[in-house]
Amino acid sequence: MLLSGVGRLEMGPVARSLALLCLCSLGCCVPARTPQPTQVSLADVKKSRGDVPDVLPTSEVDPTNPASDFEISYNYVLSRLAGMDQAMHRLNVGHYTLDVGVDQLMERLSRMDDKMAELEDKIREVYQHSKNNRKETGRLEGCQKGLRVGYKCYLVYHSYEDYAGASKKCMERGGRMAMPRDRREQEALADYVKSLFRPGNRPVWLGVNDLAAEGVYIFDDGTPVSYFQWRRHFLSGQPDGGKHENCVAMASDDGDWWDHYCDRTMNYMCEFDDRVAL
């Protein structure tokens, strides 16, 4: 009520001052422009009161701070590079160790190759001695168990071979297939074969063939045949095989020669040089 009445009065400066003073004393004084309090941080307040030192300790890195994310990534990359460097160092050490091992292995292999070469030479030498011993053994066996005719020895082997196999076996034993070169040798061999297979008839390979040229017979050592003992009979005269039967065998019943297929298997006779007689 008083305020409304006062508001209608025309007051001077002194009156207005008194009125404001009265209103403030009654609790109704509200300043028209109240200044907004400034925001003061807790650290500033403590600092103004002397609760904290002038230099504050550094706070922990805020993970949401972009600068801290960069530092974390940078430190991670550095740690990874350091790990890669260590791995590369270990790899280089491993490569060096491997190179040393390879060099040592190559050196050992080189020494082993030298030893293998020496061993191969010894094996060849032993093999050659074995061949020579086998030949000498075969020759001695042929002359002790077989038939001596002049400066030669003949032995029939009771195992089945074709012509080529029989020739090889005779050579391995230090001889060659039997090659009767005249009537004397032919008759001696015929009697010898008859005594082994009587009363049957078992053909025995001789060292005679016409493999090089049809009708041109040579011995197994390549020399020409000058004496023949072909079977002469009006029903089965020899040779009658033409180009198909090119190897010669001796019949055990009469000693005559027959031509046969060279791949036929039969007993064979080898001849050896009689060194005792020589």
Side-chain angles (χ1 to χ4, degrees):
M1 295 294 290
L2 181 60
L3 291 174
S4 61
V6 175
R8 295 187 186 95
L9 294 178
E10 294 292 336
M11 294 184 292
V14 176
R16 283 197 297 272
S17 299
L18 290 173
L20 289 173
L21 181 59
C22 292
L23 289 174
C24 288
S25 63
L26 292 174
C28 297
C29 182
V30 178
R33 294 181 183 177
T34 304
Q36 295 293 331
T38 58
Q39 295 181 356
V40 181
S41 66
L42 180 60
D44 292 337
V45 174
K46 290 182 179 181
K47 184 176 180 182
S48 63
R49 295 188 310 190
D51 296 340
V52 294
D54 294 337
V55 180
L56 295 177
T58 304
S59 61
E60 296 181 357
V61 179
D62 186 1
T64 61
N65 190 351
S68 63
D69 290 342
F70 174 77
E71 291 178 357
I72 292 174
S73 300
Y74 179 73
N75 292 333
Y76 174 75
V77 171
L78 289 180
S79 64
R80 294 296 295 172
L81 289 175
M84 292 177 62
D85 184 66
Q86 294 176 0
M88 289 295 294
H89 176 70
R90 290 194 296 269
L91 184 61
N92 290 331
V93 172
H95 283 172
Y96 175 76
T97 304
L98 182 61
D99 289 340
V100 173
V102 170
D103 291 339
Q104 293 175 352
L105 180 60
M106 293 300 295
E107 184 178 357
R108 292 179 182 177
L109 288 176
S110 178
R111 292 197 299 266
M112 186 178 295
D113 288 340
D114 295 338
K115 292 182 179 180
M116 286 296 295
E118 294 178 1
L119 183 60
E120 288 177 356
D121 292 338
K122 291 180 179 179
I123 290 175
R124 282 192 292 267
E125 184 178 353
V126 170
Y127 177 71
Q128 188 61 40
H129 284 310
S130 177
K131 286 179 62 177
N132 295 337
N133 290 337
R134 185 176 182 182
K135 289 181 179 181
E136 184 63 19
T137 301
R139 187 191 67 79
L140 293 175
E141 180 186 32
C143 290
Q144 290 177 358
K145 296 181 179 181
L147 173 70
R148 276 192 172 93
V149 179
Y151 299 105
K152 298 178 184 178
C153 302
Y154 299 90
L155 180 63
V156 172
Y157 292 90
H158 298 272
S159 61
Y160 289 90
E161 299 284 348
D162 59 14
Y163 186 88
S167 177
K168 181 179 178 181
K169 292 291 185 181
C170 289
M171 292 181 64
E172 289 177 351
R173 291 184 172 95
R176 53 199 172 272
M177 296 182 73
M179 299 176 290
R181 299 179 182 274
D182 53 34
R183 178 179 291 277
R184 174 172 170 268
E185 290 183 357
Q186 166 61 31
E187 291 177 352
L189 295 181
D191 293 339
Y192 171 53
V193 172
K194 288 178 187 177
S195 67
L196 294 176
F197 298 103
R198 186 181 292 119
N201 181 15
R202 301 286 183 87
V204 178
W205 282 125
L206 298 176
V208 180
N209 67 82
D210 65 343
L211 291 169
E214 176 61 27
V216 180
Y217 288 89
I218 59 175
F219 287 118
D220 200 45
D221 62 359
T223 58
V225 178
S226 57
Y227 175 83
F228 297 91
Q229 187 63 38
W230 295 113
R231 176 179 175 79
R232 299 301 179 189
H233 194 273
F234 69 96
L235 293 178
S236 58
Q238 296 295 316
D240 63 352
K243 295 182 178 181
H244 302 289
E245 298 178 348
N246 298 306
C247 298
V248 178
M250 175 184 287
S252 64
D253 58 348
D254 55 12
D256 287 344
W257 295 4
W258 293 65
D259 58 348
H260 291 274
Y261 292 100
C262 296
D263 57 356
R264 179 179 175 180
T265 59
M266 62 181 72
N267 299 318
Y268 59 97
M269 180 164 44
C270 300
E271 74 174 34
F272 307 91
D273 294 328
D274 187 359
R275 296 181 181 177
V276 176
L278 290 174

